[in-house]
Amino acid sequence: DTGVSQNPRHKITKRGQNVTFRCDPISEHNRLYWYRQTLGQGPEFLTYFQNEAQLEKSRLLSDRFSAERPKGSFSTLEIQRTEQGDSAMYLCASSLDVSDGYTFGSGTRLTVV
Amino acid sequence: DAKTTQPPSMDCAEGRAANLPCNHSTISGNEYVYWYRQIHSQGPQYIIHGLKNNETNEMASLIITEDRKSSTLILPHATLRDTAVYYCIVRVNTGTASKLTFGTGTRLQVTL
């Protein structure tokens, strides 16, 4: 197992375009989390899945953001009509049990120009 | 989840112990203390967590005061590769618990 994998590593897009990121968690982990991190700040929680169910969403997740985990394995995060304020590192993490430490991926850095 | 307070930055000489403090004076009885670190341009890395007893693993030791209002992460022999931002987080571990709430952490600089 190579850990949590995120693709792409970098994405540059024009304002108004849609983007989609993918996260492949550690295979036996049923919990999956998305975070966003801007420069100089700690990661901010976006959403959480247990298996395929999306159990919690932050108010940061506006209606332009949607996340899915259709078969309880990989997950996608889509941003529609991107804005410059969406520029950030998008991090995915997974864990097996609620008490476990999370394993984070290396993130997808989004730049909206 | 209870809030935490950490110094914004610390320095440590290579080979010496790095002691990173964290205050969590409003911690509840069922909240755990977690430590993560983030090396530049990488995702955060889990280090250790505990409830009330001191904990040790291959990376670090976690010392939690008896009243649980503060804790210290100890890296016993810091190396240059330990230069990172260290986050102290408190969180319940109930069945539906989800998010970790990160603050701005402590930026540890290990120097020669």
Side-chain angles (χ1 to χ4, degrees):
Chain A
D1 196 334
T2 57
V4 176
S5 177
Q6 292 189 247
N7 289 288
R9 288 296 311 274
H10 304 274
K11 178 71 176 178
I12 299 174
T13 190
K14 291 184 177 179
R15 190 172 49 144
Q17 298 294 305
N18 299 343
V19 294
T20 299
F21 311 139
R22 178 179 171 123
C23 172
D24 288 273
I26 292 174
S27 56
E28 64 267 27
H29 286 185
N30 60 354
R31 297 167 187 262
L32 186 146
Y33 315 85
W34 284 97
Y35 281 77
R36 181 176 72 181
Q37 186 173 27
T38 53
L39 200 61
Q41 301 298 312
E44 297 173 294
F45 171 77
L46 291 178
T47 191
Y48 155 61
F49 290 86
Q50 187 166 333
N51 299 310
E52 65 275 10
Q54 188 174 18
L55 297 186
E56 188 170 351
K57 291 195 294 185
S58 164
R59 55 185 169 81
L60 291 175
L61 214 67
S62 75
D63 56 4
R64 296 185 298 107
F65 288 70
S66 63
E68 293 183 341
R69 195 182 183 197
K71 297 182 180 179
S73 56
F74 74 91
S75 175
T76 58
L77 177 68
E78 181 183 17
I79 309 174
Q80 295 182 326
R81 306 181 302 281
T82 52
E83 302 172 355
Q84 286 190 318
D86 297 329
S87 295
M89 174 76 83
Y90 289 84
L91 294 159
C92 176
S94 69
S95 69
L96 181 57
D97 290 325
V98 64
S99 60
D100 289 346
Y102 296 179
T103 301
F104 279 85
S106 297
T108 295
R109 180 165 296 282
L110 173 67
T111 302
V112 181
V113 297
Chain B
D1 293 340
K3 292 186 69 173
T4 63
T5 304
Q6 298 178 254
S9 64
M10 292 182 64
D11 292 330
C12 179
E14 189 177 35
R16 305 296 295 268
N19 297 286
L20 293 97
C22 179
N23 286 319
H24 31 78
S25 58
T26 60
I27 192 169
S28 301
N30 61 348
E31 287 183 310
Y32 286 70
V33 180
Y34 283 78
W35 283 84
Y36 284 75
R37 73 180 182 182
Q38 189 170 24
I39 295 168
H40 184 61
S41 296
Q42 297 182 20
Q45 177 189 24
Y46 165 78
I47 302 173
I48 198 167
H49 74 281
L51 181 62
K52 59 176 87 172
N53 297 322
N54 298 337
E55 302 287 344
T56 296
N57 62 20
E58 65 278 5
M59 290 182 68
S61 295
L62 173 60
I63 307 299
I64 303 174
T65 58
E66 192 168 344
D67 63 7
R68 303 209 323 121
K69 293 185 177 182
S70 66
S71 60
T72 302
L73 179 75
I74 300 172
L75 307 177
H77 305 287
T79 71
L80 296 177
R81 285 183 289 184
D82 293 320
T83 293
V85 178
Y86 287 77
Y87 297 99
C88 169
I89 301 162
V90 292
R91 198 196 77 167
V92 296
N93 277 347
T94 61
T96 58
S98 56
K99 62 180 180 290
L100 293 169
T101 302
F102 289 81
T104 52
T106 295
R107 183 172 299 278
L108 176 68
Q109 180 69 52
V110 181
T111 57
L112 291 172

